[in-house]
Amino acid sequence: MSGLVRRTQRSFAIVGDTAISEIDHLALDAFWQRAIKQHPELDRDHTVRWIGIDQNSSELIIDYIKSGEKTATFTLPWVNQAEGYPDGHLGLPIILLSYFGAPELIVQVTSVEPVTFGDIDDRVTRLDGPPVRDPEIWIPLHTEYWNGILANYNREVTPEMPVLVEHFTPVYYDDGRK
């Protein structure tokens, strides 16, 4: 197969009410090219996700990830299946967008842990940012957020609902630290 160049596939796993009206694909491509120039091992199929429920939470979450205080993200297989999004898997690079759709950083999935919503406890919630690590905060917050998303699919959060805990490590951002 000499002469053939494999292009990486990019999927956009963006759900919920976001401020993004349109993603700047040129900025996203330029960000990705800078990242793979520094980290050629990232040059593989990847996904793009929006993070946060508003500008403030988006900025806080990004800071928690950069500082290493947030070490996982939480994904619903029900939504992935309904939308045709790939589930997280070992090595998956995820480009995270700010509230307004700017590429902010890339994390890479280091492991995926399937759990049910009813089994989520402090062992799981402590992987999130400091303000929401207490299950008494995390569970109602995610119930409300996910119910808003799941309503589009005629579903709601249940104790049996599958959740993927995607452990990650930050691997690239433009501020010169990675």
Side-chain angles (χ1 to χ4, degrees):
M1 289 196 178
S2 65
L4 292 179
V5 176
R6 181 186 178 281
R7 291 186 47 94
T8 60
Q9 297 294 311
R10 176 179 293 160
S11 59
F12 291 88
I14 299 174
V15 298
D17 297 327
T18 68
I20 301 170
S21 58
E22 191 171 314
I23 295 172
D24 182 342
H25 290 276
L26 292 177
L28 188 58
D29 288 343
F31 180 83
W32 180 247
Q33 290 305 312
R34 289 190 303 273
I36 62 174
K37 185 176 181 181
Q38 287 187 24
H39 299 279
E41 70 279 6
L42 292 177
D43 193 10
R44 60 174 68 182
D45 292 352
H46 56 283
T47 193
V48 177
R49 295 183 188 169
W50 172 82
I51 196 160
I53 58 174
D54 57 29
Q55 181 178 357
N56 186 51
S57 67
S58 179
E59 290 172 2
L60 285 172
I61 293 167
I62 289 165
D63 287 344
Y64 291 139
I65 292 170
K66 287 179 178 179
S67 70
E69 293 179 272
K70 177 176 170 59
T71 60
T73 191
F74 310 90
T75 304
L76 300 183
W78 288 349
V79 174
N80 287 352
Q81 291 164 2
E83 295 292 340
Y85 300 150
D87 283 337
H89 57 273
L90 180 65
L92 176 69
I94 302 171
I95 301 172
L96 296 174
L97 303 177
S98 72
Y99 183 67
F100 295 110
E104 291 287 335
L105 67 141
I106 299 173
V107 298
Q108 192 165 28
V109 175
T110 57
S111 68
V112 178
E113 176 185 0
V115 299
T116 60
F117 189 73
D119 290 332
I120 290 177
D121 59 14
D122 65 339
R123 182 190 63 76
V124 173
T125 62
R126 73 174 175 230
L127 303 169
D128 212 330
V132 298
R133 287 185 179 153
D134 181 342
E136 298 293 323
I137 296 170
W138 194 97
I139 291 171
L141 176 80
H142 284 79
T143 299
E144 180 181 347
Y145 175 70
W146 283 335
N147 274 335
I149 292 170
L150 290 171
N152 297 319
Y153 308 98
N154 297 315
R155 295 193 116 157
E156 63 182 24
V157 172
T158 66
E160 298 79 26
M161 178 182 72
V163 176
L164 296 178
V165 181
E166 297 167 321
H167 301 256
F168 60 69
T169 187
V171 292
Y172 178 79
Y173 34 94
D174 275 340
D175 67 3
R177 291 187 286 173
K178 286 277 179 186

